[in-house]
Amino acid sequence: MILTIVGISRGMLVDSQRRMRAVGADVLVRPPGSSVISLSSAPIPEKMIQFIERQPHVSMAVGAVNQPVGGVTVVTGIDVARFTQLSGGFRYLKGGPPRQPNDLLVDRYYAQQNKLSIGSTVSLMNRRWCVCGIFEEGKLARLVIPIQILQDLTSNPGKLSQIFVKVDNPANTDAVVDELKSQLKGYLIYSLEEFVSLISMDHVPGLAEFIGVIIGLSIVVGFLVVFLSMYTAVLERTREIGILKALGASPAFILDMLMRETFLLAICGSVVGIGFSFGTRWLIMTLVPGSLSQHIVPDWWPITGAIALAGALLGSAYPGWRAARQDPIEALSYE
Amino acid sequence: MSDPIIQVRGLRKVYRVGDVDVEALRGVNLTVERGELVCVVGPSGSGKSTLFHILGGLTSATSGEVIVDGRDLSKISDAERTEMRKRLVGFVFQKYNLLPTLSAADNIAIARHIAGRGLTEDPKFREVLQLLGIGHRLHHKPRALSGGEQQRVAIARAIVNHPAILLADEPTGNLDSKNSEAVLGVLRDLNERLGQTVLMITHDAHVASYGHRIVHMLDGRIVEAG
């Protein structure tokens, strides 16, 4: 459970980083007061694109609008032609760019999850859309429509959520960032690498705490499960323990035996848990690749192993101690 | 003549059941010589099993003197009683009490392991296994063995550490007549060929006839020492 939760958290963040990098911009301009991970409004005036393009070393600037449409799914509005100039464009697996007002581009994972093909219709924002192109995942967004359509639909004509800026030479990125910061007071202006580095657990408000709570709950649940399992196992083995005591096994021998078994069970449980995390990733990639992304997190394997081991050993210590002190005659008469 | 292997004098055992004291043994006196095969008979509640448990170091006496192979059991601690069970006594129970997840060989080996003798097989013990007639069944789990075979494995486990006394509590109680004869034959062979001292509890007069002498118990006392 811990490996899957951490894997999903990391997978979602890495997926966001990868899509942002693939945009091909060098600098990002975001509205004042926006958070790193999400944009749900469009307060930047569109005229700012021309302003930015007039700055030294700026090759081009492309605006985008983001609109959440349920869960973690976001529709991005962009001028597809200019985006192609900026990033090299989408790699279409089927179909091509939007030509009609109701045309919608989707990435492969979204199409796979929702069983969409060219010509399929999708209901979003109280409107029916026609899938005109399916592109390779990993660039910008999962759902893309022309920017003007999204601006109109969200009652934000002439407004943007963010602006991607291309610099003439990557070496000039810092100079452009500094220049824009001095000109656009209050706006959040990042080099792309800086922005990508901010897409992490530590920079998403509440995420680290959320993960901490989940891990804490996992430890408590794991401890109780192991404790009750061991208690039941020891009860079931009362007669067996009586036999060993009749043969001369000391309390230390019994406790040692139970602890060794617990240790082995915890190790096996950890290995099975790692296996399950591969299983949940396969399930996510098969059933909901457009909504969730899970990474395998080997750096968490020793942590979860230690949690399992500590829970198991602590959980079995009391029933093991009781079993070790059991009266052999009572134990032998146990049915 | 050597000292008796078991000497019991004025043995009393009182159990506390709820708020009531139950006197299970009321001054038992018993002497068993080395190499004897003694059968203890008596009705339920006569104190046979309690005597068996005290002689085997499974519980302590309330009062009296119990000397087994020169050691006074009334003066030893729980830890010393545990130590004594490793080598001084071997148990054979009515319900066999084999560990179900281990093979017959491992059931025997674990008794050696607990006694600190390692897991390797004692070559001389192979002869004993042949005597018991289970040499070819050692790699089977208890559930694959007949009752008679399980009891013979239990006997092998009980004597693998060469105990001074073998305590058998109704060893044929769960067996049919054919298997009972086989198990009793084994116990008698062990006694006659290896000089193993055997103390056997039974209800059955025919089983008791295998002993050199019969000790009768009633209401926590020995009423006839044979």
Side-chain angles (χ1 to χ4, degrees):
Chain A
M1 183 166 74
I2 296 172
L3 291 176
T4 300
I5 296 285
V6 174
I8 288 174
S9 309
R10 194 172 292 177
M12 299 295 280
L13 291 173
V14 170
D15 189 46
S16 297
Q17 290 175 335
R18 192 167 59 128
R19 279 190 273 139
M20 190 54 77
R21 276 206 177 93
V23 165
D26 299 304
V27 176
L28 194 61
V29 178
R30 292 168 67 91
S34 60
S35 79
V36 169
I37 202 70
S38 66
L39 288 165
S40 58
S41 61
I44 306 177
E46 210 164 20
K47 289 182 293 185
M48 195 175 284
I49 290 179
Q50 286 79 43
F51 171 78
I52 291 171
E53 284 185 330
R54 286 198 299 272
Q55 302 307 310
H57 304 300
V58 172
S59 299
M60 69 179 300
V62 178
V65 176
N66 294 312
Q67 177 65 31
V69 288
V72 292
T73 307
V74 173
V75 175
T76 296
I78 201 156
D79 181 329
V80 176
R82 284 181 62 79
F83 180 69
T84 302
Q85 282 181 276
L86 178 80
S87 68
F90 297 113
R91 182 169 170 265
Y92 292 101
L93 304 172
K94 288 177 184 170
R99 301 187 193 286
Q100 303 296 325
N102 284 353
D103 278 355
L104 170 73
L105 290 174
V106 298
D107 79 348
R108 171 165 48 188
Y109 287 160
Y110 191 87
Q112 181 187 331
Q113 180 176 327
N114 296 284
K115 298 181 176 58
L116 301 176
S117 56
I118 300 300
S120 299
T121 55
V122 178
S123 289
L124 292 171
M125 299 175 285
N126 299 318
R127 183 167 168 164
R128 293 183 74 78
W129 303 83
C130 178
V131 176
C132 65
I134 297 172
F135 59 91
E136 191 175 54
E137 70 284 351
K139 186 176 272 192
L140 186 64
R142 297 208 185 283
L143 299 169
V144 176
I145 59 175
I147 187 165
Q148 280 185 326
I149 308 270
L150 188 55
Q151 284 170 327
D152 291 343
L153 273 175
T154 56
S155 305
N156 282 310
K159 300 283 187 181
L160 303 171
S161 301
Q162 59 189 338
I163 299 172
F164 301 111
V165 180
K166 184 81 175 170
V167 175
D168 57 0
N169 182 342
N172 296 323
T173 301
D174 290 344
V176 171
V177 169
D178 291 343
E179 182 61 27
L180 289 176
K181 277 184 178 173
S182 66
Q183 303 263 4
L184 302 171
K185 297 292 183 194
Y187 281 83
L188 303 175
I189 296 158
Y190 308 95
S191 69
L192 200 81
E193 282 312 309
E194 183 191 2
F195 182 76
V196 164
S197 72
L198 292 176
I199 304 177
S200 69
M201 267 191 221
D202 294 336
H203 290 91
V204 180
L207 186 58
E209 290 80 0
F210 172 74
I211 296 294
V213 168
I214 293 291
I215 291 170
L217 284 174
S218 303
I219 293 170
V220 171
V221 171
F223 182 85
L224 287 175
V225 167
V226 170
F227 184 91
L228 291 173
S229 301
M230 285 305 296
Y231 195 83
T232 309
V234 169
L235 270 184
E236 284 175 351
R237 296 176 65 186
T238 300
R239 193 179 180 86
E240 195 178 314
I241 289 164
I243 295 167
L244 290 171
K245 295 202 84 165
L247 292 174
S250 64
F253 181 96
I254 305 275
L255 197 59
D256 179 57
M257 180 189 77
L258 291 171
M259 288 296 158
R260 279 167 189 256
E261 287 182 6
T262 302
F263 183 83
L264 196 63
L265 277 175
I267 297 294
C268 291
S270 299
V271 171
V272 170
I274 290 168
F276 273 139
S277 73
F278 281 90
T280 54
R281 188 179 72 155
W282 178 83
L283 276 177
I284 284 170
M285 293 308 292
T286 303
L287 301 176
V288 286
S291 302
L292 293 176
S293 175
Q294 185 196 330
H295 268 219
I296 297 300
V297 284
D299 54 320
W300 272 78
W301 292 353
I303 298 170
T304 50
I307 290 169
L309 203 57
L313 289 176
L314 286 173
S316 62
Y318 174 68
W321 176 78
R322 273 188 56 139
R325 292 174 54 85
Q326 211 159 23
D327 181 83
I329 298 171
E330 279 179 24
L332 282 168
S333 60
Y334 186 85
E335 295 293 344
Chain B
M1 189 175 173
S2 61
D3 289 338
I5 196 155
I6 298 173
Q7 283 181 293
V8 177
R9 296 282 175 269
L11 177 61
R12 288 181 68 247
K13 177 69 180 178
V14 180
Y15 287 112
R16 187 86 176 165
V17 181
D19 294 334
V20 181
D21 285 340
V22 177
E23 205 169 359
L25 295 176
R26 307 176 183 197
V28 169
N29 298 308
L30 175 68
T31 301
V32 177
E33 300 297 336
R34 287 179 193 276
E36 263 195 305
L37 195 166
V38 176
C39 292
V40 180
V41 297
S44 294
S46 60
K48 307 186 300 289
S49 291
T50 303
L51 176 62
F52 177 93
H53 293 149
I54 292 172
L55 290 174
L58 291 172
T59 189
S60 58
T62 303
S63 65
E65 186 180 71
V66 182
I67 297 171
V68 176
D69 201 24
R71 297 188 68 181
D72 190 347
L73 304 194
S74 59
K75 293 177 180 165
I76 64 176
S77 65
D78 280 352
E80 287 169 320
R81 258 202 303 278
T82 299
E83 199 59 32
M84 163 209 156
R85 289 198 297 270
K86 292 179 181 174
R87 293 166 189 257
L88 200 58
V89 292
F91 293 99
V92 176
F93 301 97
Q94 181 177 349
K95 292 179 178 173
Y96 326 131
N97 280 342
L98 298 177
L99 296 170
T101 52
L102 300 183
S103 67
D106 288 341
N107 264 283
I108 297 166
I110 200 168
R112 281 182 61 84
H113 175 60
I114 289 171
R117 290 169 181 263
L119 289 166
T120 49
E121 197 179 313
D122 175 1
K124 287 183 182 172
F125 196 66
R126 282 177 185 271
E127 295 170 28
V128 177
L129 294 176
Q130 294 307 322
L131 179 70
L132 292 169
I134 52 170
H136 63 297
R137 303 288 281 163
L138 288 176
H139 297 294
H140 290 80
K141 296 269 175 67
R143 65 172 180 274
L145 302 174
S146 70
E149 287 172 331
Q150 286 188 60
Q151 196 60 296
R152 280 179 279 162
V153 172
I155 292 169
R157 181 182 64 184
I159 61 172
V160 69
N161 294 321
H162 312 295
I165 53 172
L166 176 62
L167 300 172
D169 187 358
E170 301 273 8
T172 60
N174 277 6
L175 300 176
D176 58 26
S177 57
K178 186 180 167 192
N179 276 309
S180 292
E181 292 297 332
V183 165
L184 291 168
V186 162
L187 289 173
R188 189 165 56 190
D189 279 354
L190 287 172
N191 173 255
E192 288 177 356
R193 293 193 195 183
L194 306 177
Q196 177 70 57
T197 305
V198 181
L199 201 65
M200 179 162 61
I201 289 174
T202 182
H203 279 106
D204 189 326
H206 171 67
V207 172
S209 69
Y210 274 75
H212 296 144
R213 64 188 171 101
I214 300 172
V215 173
H216 292 267
M217 289 191 73
L218 185 67
D219 297 334
R221 293 189 180 89
I222 289 178
V223 291
E224 189 182 332

